[in-house]
Structure formats: C-alpha cells, structure tokens
Amino acid sequence: MKTARFGMGAVALVSVVSLTLAGCASSDGGDSGDTNKIITTNGSEPLGPLITVGTTETGGGKILTSIYAGLVSYAADGSIQNDVAESIESEDGQNWTVTLKDGWTFTNGEAVTANSFVDAWTYGATFSNAQASSYFFDNIEGFDYEADSELTGLNVVDDLTFEVALTAPEADWPLRLGYTAYMPLPSVAFEDLEAFGENPIGNGPYMMDGEDAWQHDVQIDLVTNPDYEGVRKPANAGVTFKFYTSQDAAYADVLGGNLDVLDAVPDSAFGLFEEEFGDRAINQPAAIFQAFNIPYYLDHFSGEEGKLRRAAISMSIDRDEITSVIFEGTRTPATDFTSPVVDGYSSSLEGADVLAYNPEEAQKLWAEADAISPFGDATFDIAYNADGGHQGWVDAVANSIKNTLGIEAIGKSYPDFKSSLEDRVAGTLTGATRAGWQADYPSLYNFLAPLYQTGAGSNYEGYTSPEFDALLKEGAQAQSVDEATALYQQAQEVLLEDLPSIPLWYSNATGVYADTVSNVEFGWDSVPLYYQITAN
C-alpha cells in the first residue's frame, strides 16, 4: 500500500494557466472475475434526500459519487482525470471555459448538457434554496450569502460549452470539480427536488435499482448504468450499501462472508484485523481528520473563560496513549486541522503546543478560568453516534480530561449519526460533540472552509472569525502553491488560538474484505473504489 502526496500541486499554480486535463482509461482491476454479481459494502442512512448540492455527509456522499459523474473524477491517489469534461481551460486562472464530451446522457435518456451543470450550480448557490453545499459556489461572480442573486459568472455558450468567471484567480479551481456539489442534474430534478432525491436520476457508473432501491434504515441498492462510458466503468453488476447499527456487526458479517467490503474497522478489532484478514486488510493514510467541538453557546465556553477552558481541555488529553492503546497504530496524533497526506500539512504551526499533553499547564489554565466563573460540579459530556464505533475513544478522552482536571467528564451516546447531528444543527447540545472531516477534494482549503468559515454548511457550532475568513480568502486567491500554503497555515494558527474544534488525530483508512471479492483498492479519501471490485 503506497502513500501518495497530493493537493494543489496536482494543478500547477501559475499566473497564466492553460489547463487541459488528460482523459484517462479506467483500470481493468486485473482479473475480470464475475461481472454479473452485486458487491455488498457498509454504509449509513443518508441524512436527507440524495441531492448533489444538499448532501455534505459521508453516507450520502458515497451514494451520490456512485450514481453521478462530474466534470472530473479522482483517481486513487487523488489526482484528477476528465470524466464528463473534454477540457477545462483558462488563460488567467479566473475565467474558465468548460467543454463537455458529446453523447453523455442521464439514465432517463436526457442529454447531459452545459445547462445540466449551470442549472444545478445556480440552484445550489441560490440563497432561498438553503442548500448545504452553497458555499462551494461563493467564488463565482454574482454569489450572495444573504440574498437571492443570479450567478452572473456562469454563461452557457452552447450545449457542450459553458464559461465560468470567478471573483479572483484560482489556478487550482479544477481540483474541486470532482466533488458532488459540482455534479450535473437533469431538468426533472427541479420539478420537486426533495422527491427527486428519494430516487435520483444520475449519469454515473451506477444507478438506483428501481423505485424501491432505497429501503430506509436498511440499505440502498445500486446497479450498473449500461450507458456509462466514463473513466469508472464498473467491473461488477452493482453495489448494495447496507446500513449497520454498529461496526462490530458489519465486521462479523465480513468474517462470515455475508458482506464483501467494510471501509471502517471497529476499534474492538484493531489488534486482530490484519492477522485475521492478511493481505485483505487495509491500513493506509487517508485524508481524514477527527476532533470534537465545544459550542460557544454553552455556559463557561465563551469569551476569555471559554478560551482558557478550551486550551485546558485540549492539553488534558493524552493523544499518544489513546492512539496507541485504543487505536493500536491506526491513528496519528494531530498537529494541525488537516491531514498528513495533503500537500501543505504542517507539524510545526505556531500555537500547536496546545495539542500536546501537558497536565500541569491544563490545570493552571482551568484554575484561571475558575477564577472568572467557577465550573463547580458541572459535567462535561462528549456526544457521539453509537453506530460509528466511537465509544472506546470517547470514554478514553473523557477519562483523560477527568483525571487531569478533576471534573466529571463522560460520553453521551446517540443511536446513530443522524440523531447526533440533529442536536448540532438545532444548537441544543449539552456539551461537546464528536466531529471530523473526510475531505471532499485533496486540498488544505477543503479541510478549513467547510468547517470554520463563517456561515459554511458544516460549521454547525457557528464559529466566526473575520481574521480567519480573510486569510482563507487570500489563500484561495493565491498565485502559487507556496503562497497559498503559507496563508492556510496562518489561518490554522488562528484556529489554534480560538479552538472552535479540539483536534485529536488523523485516521488511517482501515478496512477489510471477504474472500468473495478481489481488486479492492481504497482511495485517497478512504472510500473504496467500488467500480474496480470484482466478485470471485
């Protein structure tokens, strides 16, 4: 298993850009195997209708990337390759011309045209439509965070050509375009988008297996799209995503041959999975960051008092011990807010010492906070979803905080991810909450903007910092890799000061697969490349 480094360097950042992405043939995955079998894998119940511009969580995202094809797609190492796009070109990094390949259709027979992209992006960016991925379009001319407005930067030239005018040069802009928010939508979607999202019509390698394909809280059944001719041509007959209430149950099914692929090994199996599965075990770096967030609306966690308590809690966590004992080498203690596999990662940011275990300093800071307003006998809880295999580490983190600060600290279990997110969205958490990020595209920016930018779709705890926002914007408009990286690192130093999120560790992609399948490869984002998997 190789570790690839990637990021904005995948697209040269220069003052004058002429970029035509090479079309790449998909891998045949070795032996063809039985192409008539459905592959089974684990998943989670999507939080809402499957809408490209409205889905920001991993469970729904894995489905959407399977049933849609965008302008580009990501190879296993995070590099981009043309899918629907024939070319994506710019002379200045600000004004782009996108040319589509001819002959693409949605599974209802409708042609994929320039309007399929422009209409989808416009809908996603429109303020009153309240789509969670709207901020992905904030760099296009005409975008408005506070009112409906036309995206004046989008212009359809003809059926196969459209132009995009950005608010400032962004030479790495094409790197974003494999993310689901930029996928096309057929015209029928806009008749009733929520209803459409229950049985979406895509243009990707897979499609929904009839009207009953989505059995809520049970599974989603996908079959191959016979008309797909892109770079992800399936080597199987389809994929069924089974929704498990626990990772242990999913792991037991792989052991028993009742599940083909599992993309998240439970912590109870960390010491066993490589021995039990041998060369069918995956343990490789991935673009996944894990943390927990403390809402500013909680008593004792805002203002100067809150700043002291956040730092004290961070310093009271023994990350080295937890990653060694609980995760058995499948995690690495965090030194920033991104991932070691993304270009620009740093282990030496100013202020990163707040992420080191320092019980004496933690106790000192906690006492200073108590001098402002006593914490008393209040309980500090950390919310988590029980179906995600988080109980072990949450209990360990809570114990580390409890033992260091002498306060009551506990985990607070929710049955599933959906229910845990509801209190985050509603702003009704009683304490901290498990948080994390699996990158949408391989860039430092993607680890920062969706989570901490003011008003961003996944900024559930409502963090806002004009200084952070300004550095983020300046970095996005930088003309070189080095300049952009330096600005994103400065932005992270603001986060280390404010600690809207307490970084914990980076996750490896850990997975296993049964002897029922072959040609299993996990991508840069820890998601298996489903289309390559063959049944034995």
Side-chain angles (χ1 to χ4, degrees), residues 468-479 483-484 487-488 490:
F468 173 83
D469 290 347
L471 287 166
L472 201 65
K473 182 177 181 180
E474 192 177 352
Q477 298 171 3
Q479 294 297 299
E483 181 185 354
L487 289 162
Y488 291 145
Q490 289 179 48

Side-chain angles (χ1 to χ4, degrees), residues 327-347:
F327 292 114
E328 303 197 43
T330 62
R331 305 289 189 274
T332 303
T335 60
D336 77 344
F337 292 81
T338 65
S339 165
V341 301
V342 176
D343 280 346
Y345 156 79
S346 175
S347 60

Side-chain angles (χ1 to χ4, degrees), residues 209-282:
D209 187 15
E211 294 183 0
D212 298 323
W214 186 353
Q215 302 172 49
H216 285 278
D217 299 311
V218 178
Q219 65 188 44
I220 284 182
D221 299 317
L222 305 182
V223 293
T224 53
N225 173 7
D227 298 322
Y228 176 80
E229 295 294 339
V231 297
R232 295 180 290 150
K233 191 70 175 175
N236 49 61
V239 182
T240 292
F241 293 85
K242 295 185 176 183
F243 306 150
Y244 286 88
T245 56
S246 77
Q247 289 179 322
D248 288 289
Y251 187 82
D253 270 1
V254 184
L255 277 173
N258 298 315
L259 184 72
D260 292 322
V261 181
L262 174 64
D263 66 8
V265 173
D267 54 8
S268 61
F270 284 152
L272 301 171
F273 78 102
E274 290 179 300
E275 179 181 345
E276 289 184 321
F277 286 88
D279 59 4
R280 291 182 286 110
I282 309 293

Side-chain angles (χ1 to χ4, degrees), residues 261-440:
V261 181
L262 174 64
D263 66 8
V265 173
D267 54 8
S268 61
F270 284 152
L272 301 171
F273 78 102
E274 290 179 300
E275 179 181 345
E276 289 184 321
F277 286 88
D279 59 4
R280 291 182 286 110
I282 309 293
N283 186 10
Q284 65 189 45
I288 304 176
F289 163 85
Q290 293 196 347
F292 66 85
N293 296 357
I294 308 174
Y296 285 89
Y297 57 74
L298 296 177
D299 290 342
H300 304 291
F301 285 99
S302 61
E304 182 61 23
E305 179 194 356
K307 194 171 188 177
L308 291 166
R309 294 200 189 280
R310 290 166 190 273
I313 286 174
S314 179
M315 290 182 174
S316 70
I317 302 168
D318 192 341
R319 294 167 177 79
D320 287 328
E321 181 177 351
I322 293 172
T323 54
S324 174
V325 175
I326 299 294
F327 292 114
E328 303 197 43
T330 62
R331 305 289 189 274
T332 303
T335 60
D336 77 344
F337 292 81
T338 65
S339 165
V341 301
V342 176
D343 280 346
Y345 156 79
S346 175
S347 60
S348 57
L349 294 175
E350 184 177 344
D353 55 347
V354 77
L355 306 182
Y357 181 51
N358 189 338
E360 293 79 12
E361 183 66 14
Q363 292 162 9
K364 175 188 171 188
L365 295 176
W366 195 260
E368 290 177 15
D370 274 346
I372 298 173
S373 176
F375 196 73
D377 59 358
T379 296
F380 181 77
D381 63 63
I382 304 174
Y384 67 94
N385 50 303
D387 63 343
H390 301 293
Q391 182 176 353
W393 73 257
V394 169
D395 287 346
V397 166
N399 285 334
S400 191
I401 295 170
K402 179 179 180 178
N403 294 336
T404 301
L405 300 179
I407 64 173
E408 185 63 27
I410 60 173
K412 182 178 179 179
S413 175
Y414 287 77
D416 51 39
F417 179 67
K418 184 176 182 179
S419 59
S420 70
L421 191 58
E422 287 173 352
D423 279 352
R424 290 187 69 187
V425 174
T428 55
L429 290 168
T430 59
T433 177
R434 181 196 75 82
W437 191 250
Q438 182 170 319
D440 305 310

